Amino acid sequence: MLSLVTFLPLIGALVIFLIGRNRDNVARYAALTVSLLTLVVSLQIYAGFDTSIAGFQMVESKTWLPALGLSYAMGVDGISLPFILLTALLTPLCILSSWKSINKRVMEFMMAFLALESFVIGVFCALDFILFYILWEAMLIPMFLIIGVWGGPRRVYAALKFFLYTLAGSVLMLIAVLAIGLKAGTFSIPELMDAQFGYQFQIWAFLAFFIAFAVKVPMWPVHTWLPDAHVEAPTAGSVILAGILLKMGAYGFIRFSIPILPDAARFFAPMVFTLSVVAIIYTALVALMQKDLKKLIAYSSVSHMGFVTIGLFALNQQGLEGGILQMVNHGIVSGALFLLVGVIYDRMHTREIAKFGGIALRMPIYAVIFMLFTMASVGLPGTNGFVGEFLILLGAFLANKYVALFAATGVVIGAAYMLWMFKKVLFGEIHNEDVKALKEITAREVVLFVPLIVLVFWIGFYPAPFLEMMSASVGNLVEQSQVVKTIGTAAVAAVH
Amino acid sequence: MSAQTLDINLSLLVPEILISLLAMALLLLTAWRSDAGGQKLVRMISAIGIIVVAVITLGSFGTMTETTFDGLFINDAFSVYMKLLLFISTLFPLVMSWDYLVKNGIDKGEYQVLSLFALLGGMIMASSGDFMTLYLGLELMSLSIYVLAAFRRDDVRSNEAGLKYFILGSLASGLLLYGITLVYGNVGSTSFSEIHAHLASGAHLGESLSVGIILILSGFAFKIAAAPFHMWSPDVYQGAPTSVTAFMGAMPKIAAFAGIYRIFLDAFIPLFHEWGMVLKLLALLSLAVGAFAAIAQTNIKRMLAYSSIGHVGYALIGLAAGNQAGFEAVITYLSIYIFMNIGVFCFVLMLNQDGIGEEIEDYKGLSSQRPILAFVLALFMFSMAGIPPLAGFIGKLVIFKAAVEADLIGLAAVGILFSAVGAFYYLRIVKFMYFDTTESQFGMTVSPISKAVIAITSAVVIVFGIFPGALLEWVAISVKPFIS
């Protein structure tokens, strides 16, 4: 089942390669079909998922390279499942959104996109450390091409920056993965969670992971690749980047740093808090200054991911659940916001905030949808953003009052730049001829937003099913995070 | 040599004998029939000959070790495996450069003959059990390649390449020879197994022995173009005919690594703590030179020269690890490397036929006109950069795993950071192919042979990236003779 959901898109990409040459529409429909099929399979996984089990389910395990001690192992738990579902949901939306806007090399675009989906889902399913690493890195290839081939004017710079930043971050992870695996004698993630490591070793391994994941999240100050990549990527690329790829870094923290290296995670929690608070406030202020719509949303992503990392490193049930939920929320909301930008960009070919204004007069339905997601991004009660931020702040308050205090100020600035942007873009008088010519969004475009709107309110009013899905696994994770793993316990006591 | 009956078992030398007979027969043939048809015949026969000998050699791939000429010549799993790599890295460059040779008017029978003699030299190195055989093989190989590098007699750069390679190569041979004499002076033998026994016995050793070992290592560092002995390689890569560059990018390096294994893992392994340090230094320098110097290159052959210096750096990390995993990792790395190398050079050769392809900018817009070819070349680039799920990643994985196992975490971390730097210049080619556009048309005619070479090498890069199990097993068998 998990192998199916992982490799179905990849197989689809090969099929498109065979049938889609110079037949753009065939490629489009085939890609949509494949991604919808993947969504169906992922929903079936959800249906078969037992929320009462904390550990991994639907495990598939085969020996792969006995010489290196590697196995092909896959499984899901309540933490990875939401991301698999999110990926499977966003991909068809991305493909729909690129229906008209991508019109050169359609076949290659669809192939790259499906390959990307395949690798990303694989990352969330992988239960073998090296397998995880392979898929994590493999994902760079399609994303590099998506930004570089179909991106905006400065796409080459953005693509190279994205690739090299992430690669430089994750190469150190490989060393840490190898060191951990060789020390514990296994690369199996569930087994590693029970393995013992010395304190010093944990510190170093944590730092190596931290660099890799912090680049991906991205945390301040290694976030600078993100605005470039977002601005230059095509709409679908931005959506998948904000919606899914940013989650991989935080997922890495949850999956590896916290359960496998709990002592180091507790030791470094204050550092993570500090960086996150800086990210929340600093990048929110930067977002206030942006002239480019996509850049503004990109900076808001960094700010929102700061909340997520605070929630995760609060290391309690509320914080972790809030963090994970907020990752899903951010995936939905920022994905939707980028889609909204894409809609307007397709018509006006600009993203400059000053060029808009008064769009609500021409596109009332669009304005309503835009408002919904703006509110969700701000975290208005009744939307999903509120639930996530509330849980995170609750968890942060239990862990460290000051962190909660500072993070809360970020919420205010967040509201400021989002509302300011909303006002500038949608309200006011029309002063640009292009805006006058705007037409209301089409049915195809509305369809894109329906599932996302449903989710915004569903999670906003009734988050129970989502929290239930992850609660057993998170409870387990909280326990793991409290374990003292070091072999020399006395030394730890001395440090604390 | 003992006074008893001479130990001669010619059956172990069958591949070498066949290759030398083949080369000599072709030399006669090419003198007798120097017209185009004759050259074609020479090309065909040399290719088929290599395949036949490869099959014969492969037949003896097993675990047993046999020696002859009183240990001068060894036939074991390692020699067979390395010879196989040598056959591959000779055969592919030969067949894929047929069109190139014809178009550039250097389609002489001697070209094939010299390639075969170089191959023969490499084979002798892989089987050597004594400094004497090793040196013979090395010189046979090197001299043949010097001539090949200067094969375009009317081309200044080709002449310069050949001369440069020859002069610096002689210097390296001199170093090597001097090192051997120092070792001989200290130990009293040139046989690897006797040197090993002497060193392992803990007998008092003179200072000059270490000097000798370092000199030998330097000589080989030159042959594999490890920094700081790499200076010749970019110039020679660029100046030599592309077909020769493709050949010497892989074959002599495989042979030199075979020689290094024989000398250092057979004879000098008891002194690993001494030369291991030097290896680390060579590895670090090679990685740095390979990563940073390649960035500034605009000529693809020069870039590939620096890239191969970097790859040698990775291989040396595995050797410096000094454990079984490391010894296996080096051979795994080389096995994968030769396929990537052949694949990339096949592209350069194809473009060269139209008089372009030397400059990296020539690859601009390739993907819009030849999407499949561009995709395959991009695969090779990603593989060279070590991005999974391609074979290049497996090579790096085994190397770094060995290094971490040997507690060389610092070296591994530096290596891996350089690999991120190195990724930049591989990506640059992808960038040119995919992100840039061009007005000029690629006339590229892809011959069936080029198609086959590209298909095979790209299949290897993909299959060994995902299912490297078989490769790792063969390598484990081949390295067994060194693990006692």
Side-chain angles (χ1 to χ4, degrees), chain A residues 64 105 134 137-138 148 155 163 175, chain B residues 367 371 388 393 412 423 427 435 466:
Chain A
W64 175 32
R105 301 200 199 172
I134 288 176
E137 288 282 85
R155 59 188 201 278
F163 194 101
I175 298 284
Chain B
S367 78
F393 169 72
L427 286 182
F435 304 169
I466 303 170

Side-chain angles (χ1 to χ4, degrees), chain A residues 337-360:
Chain A
L337 286 171
F338 278 118
L339 285 173
L340 285 163
V341 177
V343 166
I344 198 90
Y345 182 79
D346 286 347
R347 286 165 172 69
M348 291 179 59
H349 300 285
T350 179
R351 291 182 302 262
E352 210 177 308
I353 295 174
K355 295 248 174 79
F356 302 127
I359 289 178

Side-chain angles (χ1 to χ4, degrees), chain B residues 259-441:
Chain B
I260 290 175
Y261 266 56
R262 288 288 179 211
I263 298 175
F264 287 89
L265 303 192
D266 254 358
F268 294 151
I269 194 74
L271 294 181
F272 175 76
H273 58 276
E274 286 195 14
W275 51 266
M277 287 299 298
V278 184
L279 277 182
K280 278 178 213 164
L281 189 70
L282 289 177
L284 268 180
L285 285 173
S286 306
L287 288 169
V289 168
F292 288 110
I295 292 176
Q297 303 307 320
T298 54
N299 180 293
I300 193 160
K301 282 156 81 180
R302 281 187 90 82
M303 191 214 91
L304 286 168
Y306 282 111
S307 128
S308 96
I309 294 169
H311 285 297
V312 164
Y314 289 110
L316 289 178
I317 293 181
L319 212 52
N323 51 14
Q324 184 186 346
F327 300 152
E328 289 176 9
V330 176
I331 304 300
T332 311
Y333 197 91
L334 292 174
S335 313
I336 292 168
Y337 169 71
I338 59 170
F339 283 101
M340 300 191 293
N341 195 63
I342 291 167
V344 172
F345 270 108
C346 194
F347 279 94
V348 182
L349 277 168
M350 279 192 301
L351 263 75
N352 261 192
Q353 288 163 28
D354 301 335
I356 56 166
E358 292 259 331
E359 297 301 314
I360 295 176
E361 297 217 345
D362 293 345
Y363 292 78
K364 261 187 184 169
L366 183 67
S367 78
S368 54
Q369 293 179 30
R370 308 302 292 259
I372 297 181
L373 284 179
F375 181 70
V376 175
L377 184 53
L379 276 188
F380 284 123
M381 287 301 148
F382 283 121
S383 176
M384 283 223 182
I387 307 293
L390 300 164
F393 169 72
I394 297 294
K396 292 217 163 75
L397 178 70
V398 289
I399 291 279
F400 291 131
K401 186 164 178 273
V404 174
E405 239 174 64
D407 254 340
L408 293 180
I409 296 201
L411 188 59
V414 172
I416 217 155
L417 279 177
F418 280 133
S419 83
V421 177
F424 172 76
Y425 57 81
Y426 297 120
L427 286 182
R428 219 157 66 101
I429 294 186
V430 178
K431 180 211 128 189
F432 276 122
M433 288 192 305
Y434 275 87
F435 304 169
D436 292 337
T437 48
T438 179
E439 260 87 76
S440 64
Q441 290 288 319

Side-chain angles (χ1 to χ4, degrees), chain A residues 386-460:
Chain A
F386 175 73
V387 182
E389 277 179 4
F390 180 74
L391 279 171
I392 289 172
L393 290 176
L394 199 64
F397 197 77
L398 293 173
N400 185 329
K401 289 190 194 72
Y402 298 104
V403 171
L405 185 70
F406 281 116
T409 60
V411 178
V412 180
I413 312 175
Y417 65 74
M418 285 309 285
L419 292 175
W420 172 80
M421 178 273 285
F422 186 72
K423 183 193 125 213
K424 284 270 190 185
V425 171
L426 291 153
F427 295 150
E429 285 179 14
I430 300 176
H431 51 76
N432 185 338
E433 288 301 311
D434 287 349
V435 175
K436 274 191 190 141
L438 282 179
K439 295 219 173 65
E440 186 56 282
I441 55 173
T442 62
R444 174 181 66 85
E445 287 165 331
V446 175
V447 168
L448 286 179
F449 296 105
V450 172
L452 298 176
I453 294 172
V454 170
L455 279 171
V456 164
F457 287 115
W458 188 1
I459 301 178

Side-chain angles (χ1 to χ4, degrees), chain A residues 16 24-35 95 99 110:
Chain A
I16 291 174
D24 291 352
N25 263 327
V26 174
R28 288 188 182 111
Y29 279 106
L32 185 64
T33 316
V34 171
S35 63
I95 289 171
W99 208 260
M110 296 301 169

